[in-house]
Amino acid sequence: IAFVLAEAGIEVCLIDRSKDALVTGIAQIERLLEGNIVKQKITIEEAHEIRERITQSTTLESLAGSDLMIEAV
């Protein structure tokens, strides 16, 4: 979900209580980006732009001012 939204140009914040879960999530997004670069669906620059739209946090306070929240379990 976060990847698709960031790819569409939307700023995304991943939230989890576990830093390990955040690391795992970001690693999965990095793999998706690398795969799209290899398949020539996006450029390296586009991958960097997508990645820059994704932040991460372990606190709900990071969502202050957000227009939309999606919970995925």
Side-chain angles (χ1 to χ4, degrees):
I1 297 169
F3 174 75
V4 172
L5 292 171
E7 193 175 38
I10 298 169
E11 298 287 328
V12 176
C13 182
L14 294 177
I15 303 286
D16 201 295
R17 287 186 282 182
S18 164
K19 288 184 180 181
D20 290 339
L22 290 172
V23 169
T24 300
I26 293 297
Q28 185 175 13
I29 289 169
E30 293 289 346
R31 283 192 299 276
L32 290 170
L33 289 170
E34 289 172 18
N36 283 345
I37 291 168
V38 169
K39 295 175 188 173
Q40 297 182 344
K41 292 183 175 183
I42 60 173
T43 65
I44 293 172
E45 293 79 19
E46 289 170 324
H48 287 296
E49 290 171 6
I50 292 167
R51 179 59 184 90
E52 287 176 358
R53 289 187 202 108
I54 302 171
T55 59
Q56 52 191 327
S57 179
T58 56
T59 65
L60 293 176
E61 288 80 16
S62 299
L63 298 177
S66 296
D67 295 325
L68 174 68
M69 291 175 257
I70 299 172
E71 181 178 12
V73 289

